[in-house]
Amino acid sequence: MPDLLDDLRRYGDAVESAAIDRQPPDYLAVAAPTPRRPRRLALAGVAVALAALAVAVAVARDDQSNDVRVDTPPTPVETQIDTPVSPTSLPTEQLPPLTAATEIAASDASWEPRDPGPLAQRWWPAVVWTGDRMIVWGGAGDATGDAAPELDDGASYDPAADMWTPLPSAPVSARAMPVVAWTGMEMLIWGGGGGNTDWTARADGAAYDPEGQTWRMLPPAPLPAGPLYSGAWTGAELVVVGESADGLLSASYDPVADSWRRLATVAIGSPSPGSLLDVSWAGSRVVVLASLPLGDPTEVVVYDPATEEWSSSSPQGFGSRSVSTAVLHEKVHIASYSQDTDGTAAFDPATGTWTGPVSISVDLSCEGGSRLVAMADDLFATGCGRSGIYDPKSATWQPVASPQVGEPQSAIWTGSELLWWGAGYSESSPLGLWALRP
C-alpha cells in the first residue's frame, strides 16, 4: 500500500526535521513496498504535538426504548517526558555460530478452506483470539488502490460454527496498527493511526465485550500521540510501549480500575524515534524488542511488573533485522534475518540468557507478511510464500505448504488449529480464511 507508507514517511520527515538534531539511521528511510515485499514502517518521534485527534462518537441505543446515548471521548491528559532511566545491563552474551535446523519430511497436513467473512481485505488490523473466536477490527484498506483508507469496521469468527458476526460500530475513529490485547473479557484497542494525505497518530482507545456485543471508551492515557506504540497483556494490565528520541515511553492500563499509570522512560542504546517495536509477555516479564540500525546487535529490554525494574540485553552474533516474535514456554523466540541467513533465537527473560540461533528454511525478508506463531510445543513460521514448523526441542524443521494467497494479515493458534486469514496484493486477489491441523 504505497500511498499509506508515503504518508507515514512524509509525517516522519516533517516531525523529525523540526524536533531531532540528528540524522536518523539509514534504514529508517524505507521505500514504499513492492507488491511482494511490504517493508517495515518507520514513524517519527514525539517531540512535536499532533494538530488534532479525531473525535469519535459512539451511539448506543437502549433495546427497551428509543433513547440514544452519545459518548464523547474524554479530554486527553497532559503528558510530560520524565528523565530517562538506564536499564540494568544483563551480561553481554556472545551467541554461538548459526546452526541449521534438521529438515524432516514435509507435513502432509492440508489447509481447509473456511468462510472468509464479510470484511474487505486490509492490512494491520487489530486481531485477537478470545478462546473460542477470532475478532478482527480496523486496519488499512487494500494494498493497490490510489488511497488506503483506514477502516472502522470489524467482525468475529467462530471456527466451531464456521460463521462470522459483524461487530457494532466502535466509539473510536478508523485506524491501522493499534495496540490490541485480549483481557479474558474484553478486546482492548489503543493508539494506532491513519490518514490518506497526512498520517495522524491516535492517543485514544476503546474496549469491546464480545458477550454483550458492546463497546466502551478507555480513559485518556498519560502518553503523547506521536510514537507508534505496541503493547502486551500481562494478565492484569495492558503495558503500552513506544520509542522516542528520549528512549522508550510506556504506561500501563488496569481495566478493573479503569485507569492508567505512567511507567518510567527508559534509555536505550540507539533510539529510533517512532520505530515499530515488538512487545511480548513471557509469563512474568514484558519483553520489548527495540529496532536498531542494521548491523547493530539486537537490543532487548525487559520490564518486571513485580519490581517495576527494567533491564536490557544486547547479544553479539545475531542479526538485527528482526521481523516477528512468538512466546513459547515463557521464552521469546525472535525471527531475524541478515544478508544471507534467516533464523530464530530464543531469549529467557527470567534468566537473561539466549539459546540458538538456528537457521530455518523460510524467507523472512518479506517483513510485512512474515510471521512466527507459537503453537502447543512448536513454532509455525511463514514468509515469502514458504512455511514450516520448527521444533525448538529437537531443532527440526518440517516444511508445510502455504495457502496460495499472498501473505497472512493474521495467523493465530487456537489451541487445536492454525487460522490463516489473508489475501494477495491486488484488488482482484480474493480474501480467504484457512485452517491447518498439524
Side-chain angles (χ1 to χ4, degrees):
M1 36 193 319
D3 294 333
L4 176 59
L5 293 178
D6 288 343
D7 295 338
L8 290 175
R9 289 201 311 278
R10 287 195 294 270
Y11 165 80
D13 292 343
V15 177
E16 190 142 19
S17 63
I20 299 176
D21 238 348
R22 62 176 179 82
Q23 292 296 319
D26 292 340
Y27 88 108
L28 287 181
V30 181
T34 63
R36 284 298 303 163
R37 291 182 178 244
R39 312 302 290 173
R40 178 184 301 258
L41 301 180
L43 307 179
V46 299
V48 177
L50 295 175
L53 291 175
V55 177
V57 177
V59 179
R61 189 177 299 272
D62 190 329
D63 290 339
Q64 304 302 319
S65 70
N66 292 322
D67 294 338
V68 175
R69 187 184 76 251
V70 177
D71 292 338
T72 302
T75 303
V77 298
E78 293 186 5
T79 58
Q80 182 175 357
I81 307 300
D82 52 2
T83 302
V85 300
S86 297
T88 301
S89 295
L90 299 171
T92 300
E93 189 170 347
Q94 178 67 45
L95 297 185
L98 188 77
T99 59
T102 302
E103 186 164 326
I104 60 178
S107 171
D108 59 1
S110 59
W111 293 87
E112 175 188 339
R114 300 283 181 84
D115 180 3
L119 301 178
Q121 64 167 295
R122 60 195 64 204
W123 290 96
W124 307 298
V127 182
V128 296
W129 174 251
T130 70
D132 61 6
R133 70 193 78 178
M134 176 177 70
I135 303 179
V136 180
W137 182 87
D142 69 77
T144 60
D146 294 332
E150 281 59 56
L151 305 171
D152 62 0
D153 61 341
S156 65
Y157 173 70
D158 178 357
D162 190 25
M163 183 173 67
W164 290 81
T165 302
L167 301 188
S169 297
V172 291
S173 58
R175 64 196 64 195
M177 295 176 286
V179 176
V180 61
W182 173 249
T183 70
M185 297 180 64
E186 296 176 311
M187 176 181 71
L188 304 179
I189 57 171
W190 187 87
N196 288 334
T197 57
D198 293 294
W199 174 266
T200 301
R202 315 295 188 198
D204 62 349
Y208 176 68
D209 172 9
E211 294 301 320
Q213 297 187 7
T214 56
W215 289 89
R216 65 178 180 87
M217 287 293 298
L218 299 185
L223 291 170
L228 183 58
Y229 292 94
S230 299
W233 175 250
T234 70
E237 295 179 316
L238 171 65
V239 175
V240 175
V241 185
E243 191 168 351
S244 75
D246 298 290
L248 299 181
L249 308 179
S250 58
S252 64
Y253 171 69
D254 179 351
V256 175
D258 193 26
S259 63
W260 290 86
R261 62 189 178 96
R262 182 65 181 268
L263 304 179
T265 299
V266 180
I268 58 175
S270 301
S272 300
S275 292
L276 181 61
L277 304 172
D278 198 306
V279 182
S280 304
W281 174 249
S284 62
R285 291 166 175 83
V286 175
V287 178
V288 182
L289 180 63
S291 300
L292 297 176
L294 192 62
D296 285 4
T298 296
E299 182 169 6
V300 173
V301 181
V302 180
Y303 170 63
D304 185 344
T307 62
E308 298 198 353
E309 294 180 347
W310 296 81
S311 58
S312 67
S313 173
S314 297
Q316 304 294 319
F318 185 50
S320 67
R321 204 61 187 251
S322 304
V323 296
S324 185
T325 64
V327 178
L328 184 65
H329 303 317
E330 301 191 357
K331 292 183 179 180
V332 181
H333 292 259
I334 302 171
S336 181
Y337 74 92
S338 59
Q339 291 182 346
D340 54 3
T341 304
D342 297 277
T344 178
F347 175 67
D348 185 344
T351 61
T353 56
W354 292 79
T355 54
V358 176
S359 66
I360 53 179
S361 299
V362 61
D363 187 351
L364 296 170
S365 62
C366 290
E367 295 184 36
S370 298
R371 294 288 189 277
L372 195 65
V373 182
M375 301 191 296
D377 294 300
D378 305 315
L379 295 167
F380 174 83
T382 185
C384 294
R386 288 189 289 174
S387 302
I389 297 173
Y390 173 64
D391 180 351
K393 291 183 179 179
S394 62
T396 56
W397 171 259
Q398 183 179 38
V400 174
S402 300
Q404 301 299 311
V405 55
E407 306 292 346
Q409 272 82 60
S410 68
I412 288 181
W413 176 249
T414 70
S416 60
E417 61 185 7
L418 185 77
L419 295 179
W420 173 308
W421 184 71
Y425 294 102
S426 69
E427 294 177 352
S428 60
S429 297
L431 183 67
L433 173 65
W434 292 264
L436 176 73
R437 291 179 177 267

